[in-house]
Amino acid sequence: MSDDTATLKLGSESYEFPVFKGTQGPDVVDIRKLYGQTGNFTFDPGFTSTASCESALTFIDGDEGILLHRGYNIEQLSEQSSFMEVSYLLLNGELPSKAELEDFSYTISRHTMLHEQLATFYKGFRRDAHPMAIMCGVVGALSAFYHDSTDIADPEHRKISSHRLIAKMPTIAAMAYKYSIGQPFLYPDNDLSYTGNFLRMTFGVPAETYEVNPVIERAMDRIFILHADHEQNASTSTVRLAGSSGANPFACIAAGIACLWGPAHGGANEAALNMLREIGTPDRIPHYIERAKDKNDPFRLMGFGHRVYKNYDPRATVMRKTVREIMAELKVTDPVFEVALQLEEMALNDPYFIEKKLFPNVDFYSGIILSAIGFPTEMFTVLFALSRTVGWVAQWNEMISDPGQKIGRPRQLYTGPAPRDYIPLSQR
Ligand code: ACO
C-alpha cells in the first residue's frame, strides 16, 4: 500500500515516513511512528489535514462536488435507488440482488417496534423538549433493553444491533414528534415501506386511515438517501471515537446524535429555514449578504459553505429539484423558496463567496421541502439523524471489524502553566 515516502526535516535530523495511496483522493503520509521516532506530535485542530481512519464506504471529492457511496454516485442513487437499498449497500459493500433486498427489507420491518417500556421514557420529558434531546435520551436508553446482542466482537451481534437501530429510528423519531404535539403514539405498520411507515407514524392518527402519498414518500426516501452517509464528518467521527473504547452501539449512536444537533452540523437545516424566514422578502437579501461578509458580525449564511465541498454540494442540486416536485404535488407555493433561489444566485455572484468557495450545502433547500411536507423545524435534525444512522452504523461496523483498530486518543499542544507548588489556602 505504501508507494512513496515523505521526508521530514527537524533540525539537523531527517525522517522518512511512508505515503499511502487510496483508490481515490489525496495520498496520506503515515505519521503513526512520528512521536516514537522524533518525540514530536502533529498539530491539526479540527482535523483539516488529518485522515483519522481507513474507510471503504464513502468518497467525497470536494473540489469537483462528487459524492460516492461504495463507488456509486449520489445522483444515480437518489434518482434510481431506495433508502433500503442504499442502506444494504453501505452495510454490505455491494448492491443487493432482488432476493437480498427483499430479505433485508423484511428483516428491518420486523424490528420496527420498540419495547413497550420505552414509551414511558417519553413521558419523563417536558412536552416542549427539543426532539433531538428526546432522541439522545431514548436512543441511549436502548442500551438497557437489548442484552442479547451486546458482544461487539461477535459479527452476528453487531448485525442484529445494526438492524435494530436502523429499524427503530423512524419509530423513535415519530414518537418524539407525537409526544410534542400531544397525540397518541402509533405502532408501526410493517406492510408499508420504511419511509411510508415513518410518514404514517408521524402524520397518521389512530382514528383514521392514513393514505401514504407516493410523491411525498419518494421525496422523503430521497432525502433519507441524501443523508445516509458522508464519510468522516463530526458526528460520524464522534460515533467512531465513542465506539473505539468498546462502548455499545446504542450509546455510540446516541453520541453521534448529540454531535449532529449542533448548528454547524445537522442543526444547519433548521437554522437555514429560520434564516430564510427571517429574511422574508427578496429585497432584504442584500442586507443579509452584507452581514454574512462582515467580520464583526457573527452571522453566517446558514446552509452555505462546507468543510469538504469547495464546489456545489451534489446533494443540494437534488434537493432543489425535489422542492419543485413537492410544491407541484402539494399545490403550494412558499415565498421562502423564492428568497432561497435569489439568495443563492446573489451569493454565487458575490466576490466574497466566490473567493472563499462557499456554495449551498445539503441543508440549504432541505428545510423548505420538510416544511412543505408538514414537519416543524425542530424535527429537521431528527430526520437527519434517522437517515444518518445507517452511515453511523456502517462506519462503526467497519471500525470494529478492522483488526488494527485502537482506542481513539488524540494528543495536544499544552499551553497551560509550567509545574508549580501548591500554595495552602491560608497563604493565598
Ligand atoms: N457565511 C459566511 N461566511 C462563511 C460561511 C457562511 N456560511 N461559511 C464559511 N464562511 C467564511 C468564514 O468566515 C471563513 O472566512 P475567513 O477565511 O475570512 O476567516 C471562511 O469562509 C472559511 O470558513 P471556516 O469556518 O473556516 O470553514 P470550515 O470548514 O471550518 O466550516 C462550515 C465549514 C462550518 C460548514 C461553515 O461553512 C459554516 O458555518 N456554514 C454555515 C453552517 C452550515 O450550513 N452548516 C452545514 C454544514 S453541512 C452539514 O453538516 C450537513
Side-chain angles (χ1 to χ4, degrees):
M1 176 169 169
S2 173
D3 300 297
D4 209 347
T5 55
T7 308
L8 174 71
K9 260 186 97 15
L10 275 173
S12 57
E13 299 289 333
S14 281
Y15 303 91
E16 299 272 303
F17 296 97
V19 176
F20 294 152
K21 279 198 187 307
T23 48
Q24 304 269 304
D27 297 349
V28 299
V29 182
D30 175 8
I31 53 152
R32 280 175 290 184
K33 296 202 171 126
L34 178 81
Y35 179 56
Q37 290 181 7
T38 71
N40 284 263
F41 297 143
T42 54
F43 183 58
D44 186 19
F47 302 109
T48 50
S49 301
T50 298
S52 61
C53 64
E54 202 179 312
S55 180
L57 269 97
T58 294
F59 173 72
I60 305 172
D61 183 333
D63 293 327
E64 295 297 322
I66 291 170
L67 168 60
L68 308 176
H69 292 318
R70 302 282 194 187
Y72 296 100
N73 191 299
I74 192 68
E75 281 93 349
Q76 287 181 8
L77 291 174
S78 60
E79 285 296 330
Q80 298 173 45
S81 186
S82 67
F83 182 65
M84 273 300 92
E85 189 176 56
V86 171
S87 300
Y88 183 98
L89 174 69
L90 285 167
L91 289 169
N92 299 292
E94 295 297 336
L95 287 169
S97 66
K98 193 166 177 288
E100 285 167 336
L101 180 58
E102 275 170 15
D103 184 52
F104 178 71
S105 305
Y106 180 84
T107 303
I108 296 296
S109 74
R110 263 54 197 176
H111 282 293
T112 49
M113 281 175 67
L114 292 187
H115 192 292
E116 198 65 14
Q117 206 73 25
L118 262 170
T120 56
F121 274 74
Y122 286 81
K123 299 198 174 78
F125 286 96
R126 286 169 52 132
R127 290 272 176 195
D128 61 357
H130 196 289
M132 282 298 273
I134 299 179
M135 292 292 281
C136 285
V138 174
V139 174
L142 291 176
S143 325
F145 286 81
Y146 299 105
H147 302 297
D148 60 342
S149 56
T150 49
D151 180 3
I152 61 161
D154 182 336
E156 202 48 39
H157 280 209
R158 290 205 300 275
K159 193 166 154 185
I160 295 169
S161 298
S162 303
H163 290 164
R164 280 186 173 137
L165 274 157
I166 295 166
K168 293 183 195 311
M169 211 50 104
T171 316
I172 294 172
M175 284 168 73
Y177 173 63
K178 285 298 193 200
Y179 185 72
S180 73
I181 57 170
Q183 285 188 0
F185 299 144
L186 253 67
Y187 288 115
D189 179 345
N190 294 343
D191 289 335
L192 297 175
S193 71
Y194 183 86
T195 305
N197 178 43
F198 171 64
L199 287 170
R200 182 187 153 274
M201 286 190 293
T202 305
F203 296 119
V205 287
E208 288 171 17
T209 308
Y210 180 80
E211 292 292 336
V212 179
N213 176 324
V215 176
I216 295 177
E217 184 183 18
R218 178 72 197 121
M220 203 65 229
D221 201 70
R222 197 181 287 155
I223 291 173
F224 288 165
I225 294 173
L226 293 177
H227 288 92
D229 192 44
H230 214 228
E231 54 119 302
Q232 307 312 319
N233 57 82
S235 56
T236 302
S237 298
T238 301
V239 170
R240 278 187 178 256
L241 194 57
S244 76
S245 72
N248 77 72
F250 304 107
C252 297
I253 302 304
I257 293 171
C259 177
L260 185 75
W261 191 359
H265 192 8
N269 52 14
E270 185 176 341
L273 186 65
N274 288 338
M275 176 195 74
L276 291 170
R277 284 190 178 142
E278 188 186 314
I279 296 175
T281 48
D283 58 301
R284 284 161 54 84
I285 295 172
H287 169 65
Y288 283 86
I289 296 236
E290 286 315 308
R291 282 191 61 193
K293 287 155 51 174
D294 183 354
K295 280 266 152 271
N296 300 316
D297 188 332
F299 175 78
R300 283 187 169 199
L301 278 194
M302 298 314 285
F304 251 78
H306 198 276
R307 170 60 62 78
V308 183
Y309 292 116
K310 302 303 166 196
N311 201 327
Y312 214 99
D313 180 339
R315 302 168 301 170
T317 316
V318 182
M319 284 290 183
R320 194 173 52 181
K321 192 171 150 225
T322 308
V323 179
R324 292 191 201 281
E325 284 173 19
I326 284 291
M327 292 207 162
E329 171 64 20
L330 298 176
K331 299 184 180 52
V332 291
T333 47
D334 187 342
V336 152
F337 186 39
E338 193 48 40
V339 172
L341 289 171
Q342 292 199 27
L343 176 61
E344 176 191 331
E345 198 189 326
M346 237 179 256
L348 293 182
N349 287 303
D350 188 292
Y352 173 94
F353 292 88
I354 294 171
E355 188 202 316
K356 294 188 188 303
K357 299 187 177 168
L358 299 169
F359 292 85
N361 61 48
V362 66
D363 293 321
F364 192 64
Y365 287 107
S366 61
I368 301 174
I369 306 174
L370 297 175
S371 171
I373 293 176
F375 290 101
T377 49
E378 304 79 57
M379 278 297 285
F380 294 178
T381 318
V382 169
L383 301 172
F384 194 157
L386 186 170
S387 27
R388 182 56 56 85
T389 294
V390 65
W392 289 332
V393 158
Q395 299 262 359
W396 171 80
N397 266 297
E398 186 181 58
M399 179 189 70
I400 302 287
S401 353
D402 179 350
Q405 185 258 326
K406 280 176 188 287
I407 186 167
R409 190 6 178 135
R411 307 308 289 257
Q412 63 170 10
L413 172 65
Y414 176 69
T415 54
R420 48 185 171 165
D421 285 327
Y422 176 79
I423 303 164
L425 189 58
S426 58
Q427 293 169 30
R428 269 179 259 154

